[in-house]
Amino acid sequence: TPIEETLVLIKPDGVERQLTGEVLARIERKGYELVDLRMLTPSRELLTRHYLEHEGKPFFEGLLAFMSSGPVVAARVRGIRVIEGFRSLTGPTDPTTAPPGTIRGDLGRAWETPTILNIVHGSDSPESAARELAIWFAA
Ligand code: DAT
Ligand code: MG
């Protein structure tokens, strides 16, 4: 059975709203293991590498401005099928339509800004997880 690692980010809205403990508790209750944690306000340079696939999209500038607006908690999380499993805990991108029971469905809310503020990020594939963990947890 493959044990995977994924990158979880608690975004500036999650930290600001004091939801760090709530998100980490959900990860731990699911049985996933926290193996590394850090808190930082990410630079635009780091975020440009992290959000490579979204460069050029209409929401890219707003996304970078939001993500660099304050501290973020980055977690290296380990578990069986954790990449898919954490995405399932998170729910879909839009907090308005994310189902109850998910982090975004339970805790996310609609905002007036065009930038979607949805509390957390989770890697979407093994390739993304390896790439993103190297960016956020570079030695
Ligand atoms: P996810 O975070 O669910 O993997 P994504 O990778 O497609 O979603 O997009 C990354 C982030 O960018 C997302 O969490 C919020 C923002 N975003 C995505 N699509 C957007 C849109 N159409 N308008 C505004 N922000 C958007
Ligand atoms: Mg994504």
Side-chain angles (χ1 to χ4, degrees):
T1 317
I3 296 178
E4 299 173 336
E5 289 185 348
T6 194
L7 174 76
V8 171
L9 299 177
I10 302 168
K11 299 183 181 185
D13 59 325
V15 173
E16 163 75 22
R17 291 177 55 206
Q18 301 185 223
L19 295 172
T20 300
E22 168 76 29
V23 171
L24 295 181
R26 287 179 182 225
I27 290 169
E28 290 195 305
R29 292 208 311 256
K30 181 74 177 175
Y32 299 138
E33 187 186 356
L34 297 171
V35 294
D36 206 350
L37 273 177
R38 63 185 296 222
M39 184 179 237
L40 69 160
T41 298
S43 67
R44 287 185 53 97
E45 186 269 330
L46 185 155
L47 292 167
T48 301
R49 288 196 284 143
H50 174 78
Y51 280 124
L52 202 63
E53 61 173 342
H54 297 306
E55 200 164 5
K57 293 184 185 172
F59 59 85
F60 184 73
E61 280 305 320
L63 179 61
L64 256 59
F66 160 58
M67 287 295 295
S68 60
S69 68
V72 164
V73 172
R76 180 189 290 272
V77 181
R78 185 179 294 159
I80 295 168
R81 297 178 68 197
V82 68
I83 298 169
E84 184 183 8
F86 181 73
R87 297 276 294 185
S88 177
L89 287 187
T90 294
T93 307
D94 180 354
T96 295
T97 53
T102 65
I103 292 168
R104 289 168 172 171
D106 287 348
L107 310 172
R109 54 191 204 205
W111 293 79
E112 292 171 342
T113 66
T115 302
I116 296 174
L117 312 188
N118 55 17
I119 304 170
V120 288
H121 165 85
S123 307
D124 64 9
S125 68
E127 295 71 29
S128 299
R131 190 180 67 79
E132 294 171 2
L133 284 166
I135 292 170
W136 291 83
F137 290 98

